[in-house]
Amino acid sequence: MMRAKIVGTGAGIPKKLLTNADLEKLVETSDQWIRERTGIRERHIVSPGEKFSDLCTHAAVEALKRAKVKAEDLDMILVGTISSDMLFPATSCLVQRNIGATRAAASDISAACVGFLYALHLADGLIQSHKAENILVIGGEILSRYVDWTDRSTCVLFGDGAGAVVLQATRGDHGILGSRMKSNGNYGDFICMPGGGSNAPANDPRTLEDRLPFIRMRGNETFKVAVKAMADVSSELLAEQGFEKEEIRLFIPHQANERIIDAVGERMKFPAERVFKNVDRYGNTSAASIPIALDECVRGGLIKRGDLILMTAFGAGLVWGSVLLRW
Ligand code: UT7
């Protein structure tokens, strides 16, 4: 059986830092509130002129280099995102051009914060069915361009960035062991951006007058659904694959909020040291959060060959899912 194995990781992080102290000057908030309610201390955001495709390209080049795979050998590029440079063409096509992946097909996957895991899930299917051998999967976002900087309940949460992995077809026990993705459109209004799409086009002056092209979120309700959804889908995946929680070396949940991460970890009964967190330094980078975390873990020596890694995320849709892999 063919398996999709991660053979390289990379990240593209904007240089500019936005601290809680900076936010205190923008809206009525405090470093203490943000740290206590979210665990976030600072986040990176893009500067004027910096593009989403730039971050993705940086992450892709790093991942290819570490994988020792040439861009021309890629069969497919998938970018999980909801903040592409333009509504079309897809950012994956811009990355394909930037890195010279002349043979690769390219498409974006829209699944908000779960975009990277959805893309991994699909890429795994392509490799298992012999439709591709080398796939570049990127998860990234620059939500700082969609945030309402007058809304303190959302503007303190998000950060920008991109992370990438190169997946390669392999035989053996190492690689993606299983994945499970879910959605429930009944919760579509929990997190959304009502303007800028075809329903309220950006070229209609009323769209901006009504302040529609900004992120809106029912944070508290999202919080409650998110914890149960991520714990349930992760438990289902482990049971399906025949593993016990104790066998998981590292649990990498979506870095949305430290309280959500802790609550999911506790519900899953993982010891705190096996639950990865970097939300304090990046904020919620949406689709980028898991690939950035994975890249940090690999570079920091937290993951060793043979380790079982469980990743899970939730986001606007609502969508959620889990991926289990053996490093
Ligand atoms: O990737 C998926 C994206 N979505 C999420 O991650 C959302 C998940 N939800 C959350 O992370 C939390 O719900 C938030 C961090 C967004 C909010 O925390 P909370 O504990 O649910 O607070 P809350 O919304 O219940 O608000 C509590 C109070 C309110 O004041 P009152 O009504 O009690 O007087 C808010 O107005 O905190 C106030 N508040 C703030 N105060 C200072 C909300 N935002 C801020 C702020 N600074 N930035």
Side-chain angles (χ1 to χ4, degrees):
M1 179 193 160
M2 275 299 175
R3 261 192 214 294
K5 184 181 166 192
I6 295 178
V7 290
T9 65
I13 312 291
K15 287 206 173 57
K16 187 175 167 188
L17 260 188
L18 185 70
T19 64
N20 292 348
D22 296 328
L23 285 161
E24 284 176 350
K25 292 174 202 146
L26 278 182
V27 285
E28 201 184 323
T29 189
S30 67
D31 172 52
Q32 189 188 357
W33 191 95
I34 301 172
R35 276 191 289 107
E36 284 178 4
R37 298 292 179 120
T38 73
I40 301 167
R41 283 191 290 116
E42 60 191 28
R43 66 290 286 143
H44 294 255
I45 63 163
V46 284
S47 302
E50 208 170 356
K51 297 198 293 289
F52 175 58
S53 54
D54 297 338
L55 300 182
C56 292
T57 301
H58 191 278
V61 169
E62 268 193 2
L64 286 166
K65 199 170 149 198
R66 294 208 186 105
K68 298 190 176 63
V69 168
K70 292 196 195 91
E72 310 90 81
D73 292 333
L74 290 173
D75 304 302
M76 184 83 193
I77 300 173
L78 294 174
V79 178
T81 189
I82 48 166
S83 47
S84 44
D85 284 16
M86 297 172 266
L87 277 183
F88 61 90
T91 296
S92 49
C93 294
L94 306 179
V95 174
Q96 186 246 352
R97 174 197 66 194
N98 292 354
I99 64 175
T102 44
R103 286 182 47 245
S107 182
D108 288 359
I109 308 292
S110 172
C113 302
V114 199
F116 175 74
L117 293 189
Y118 260 78
L120 267 193
H121 175 72
L122 296 171
D124 181 40
L126 289 173
I127 286 178
Q128 280 191 41
S129 57
H130 301 263
K131 291 200 165 69
E133 284 187 11
N134 293 302
I135 305 183
L136 174 67
V137 178
I138 301 173
E141 222 79 80
I142 54 172
L143 292 183
S144 64
R145 300 250 165 91
Y146 293 152
V147 155
D148 179 348
W149 291 103
T150 65
D151 175 9
R152 68 176 182 174
S153 69
T154 52
C155 76
V156 302
L157 302 175
F158 299 101
D160 300 336
V165 300
V166 176
L167 284 181
Q168 201 161 54
T170 175
R171 290 187 194 277
D173 295 338
H174 298 261
I176 295 177
L177 304 178
S179 56
R180 249 175 131 84
M181 298 298 131
K182 303 216 175 189
S183 72
N184 186 343
N186 290 322
Y187 298 129
D189 59 346
F190 275 26
I191 318 171
C192 61
M193 192 173 85
S198 57
N199 194 40
N203 56 17
D204 181 339
R206 285 171 301 181
T207 301
L208 207 49
E209 271 165 34
D210 295 341
R211 297 188 67 73
L212 298 181
F214 294 100
I215 295 172
R216 289 182 186 173
M217 187 170 72
R218 287 158 58 181
N220 211 278
E221 287 142 290
T222 307
F223 192 126
K224 287 173 197 150
V225 178
V227 172
K228 185 174 181 322
M230 286 194 287
D232 285 355
V233 74
S234 299
S235 299
E236 283 167 25
L237 179 60
L238 281 184
E240 176 197 277
Q241 294 298 319
F243 290 102
E244 299 297 330
K245 288 166 188 173
E246 295 72 33
E247 294 176 87
I248 299 301
R249 179 74 195 88
L250 200 59
F251 180 52
I252 308 182
H254 170 43
Q255 305 289 307
N257 178 323
E258 189 174 27
R259 288 189 297 145
I260 297 180
I261 296 170
D262 290 345
V264 179
E266 279 161 26
R267 215 177 160 106
M268 299 284 298
K269 298 193 171 54
F270 285 128
E273 66 275 12
R274 298 214 169 171
V275 179
F276 183 77
K277 285 191 235 178
N278 64 6
V279 66
D280 58 327
R281 288 174 287 120
Y282 294 101
N284 178 351
T285 57
S286 184
S289 96
I290 289 188
I292 289 174
L294 198 58
D295 183 58
E296 275 202 3
C297 292
V298 172
R299 283 188 295 109
L302 292 180
I303 299 179
K304 308 221 163 27
R305 188 172 156 77
D307 284 349
L308 282 177
I309 314 291
L310 181 63
M311 306 179 283
T312 188
F314 76 97
L318 291 179
V319 284
W320 63 101
S322 275
V323 174
L324 176 69
L325 58 87
R326 190 192 305 279
W327 197 255

